[in-house]
Amino acid sequence: VADLTWSEVRSNGPAELLELYAALYEIFLSRAQILELLDRFGLAQKAAARAEQLPGGQQQRLSLALAIVNDPRLVLLDEPTNGLDPQARHNFWAPTERNKQRGKTTILTTHYMEEAYRLADTIANDTARVRPARLSISPKPVRVEPGSSPRMSMRPQDAAACSSISA
């Protein structure tokens, strides 16, 4: 077994990375399976390109492909489209939606409400506190219906204590 540095791993192409990540789960993909997975994420034309030289949106789609190479029931994505241009964000949504259609669960954190409404069945705001014990937002899941625009609201636990908080 050879020792690889992270730099050496990143210099591989998407096809080799998928093969490597799958092997970590003792899954041995054929070349056809690797190409199908790359195609599903819009990366088939970049199979041999160096992963570290892919544009940001393609790197994010490769990251998602690597995250699901072992076909997990649950995928956690923390701000996966943060810093991407709008087109790259939209390109990232398609494979995420396909994963959802396959019955897989994705927990996604995002600051982009458009993204949350498009990709989520349920939206829950995280617990936030300004000056502990004075203002809190309780997580309350909201069912997202197609075409709906759920609203979230905040209310202080102790209105008198919050009177000194300014925007």
Side-chain angles (χ1 to χ4, degrees), residues 91-165:
N91 289 342
F92 185 81
W93 295 348
T96 306
E97 289 172 322
R98 280 194 297 274
N99 205 42
K100 178 180 167 182
Q101 291 166 356
R102 293 178 60 234
K104 307 300 179 175
T105 300
T106 300
I107 296 177
L108 170 79
T109 62
T110 184
H111 285 98
Y112 301 113
M113 294 312 292
E114 174 190 11
E115 185 168 82
Y117 294 141
R118 177 158 175 180
L119 299 177
D121 292 323
T122 304
I123 296 176
N125 56 318
D126 192 7
T127 301
R129 295 178 193 252
V130 178
R131 296 185 186 176
R134 292 191 182 175
L135 176 66
S136 70
I137 305 169
S138 299
K140 184 175 182 181
V142 177
R143 182 84 182 152
V144 178
E145 299 298 330
S148 70
S149 249
R151 296 176 183 223
M152 292 184 276
S153 60
M154 297 175 16
R155 65 182 167 82
Q157 289 180 332
D158 180 354
C162 292
S163 63
S164 64
I165 298 175

Side-chain angles (χ1 to χ4, degrees), residues 16-29 69-70:
E16 289 79 16
L17 287 173
L18 284 170
E19 185 176 19
L20 173 67
Y21 273 64
L24 294 173
Y25 293 99
E26 297 183 2
I27 298 169
F28 303 99
L29 301 173
V69 74
N70 65 326

Side-chain angles (χ1 to χ4, degrees), residues 40-56:
R40 201 163 90 198
F41 287 88
L43 297 168
Q45 300 298 321
K46 301 290 186 174
R50 290 174 58 136
E52 65 188 356
Q53 294 178 344
L54 294 174

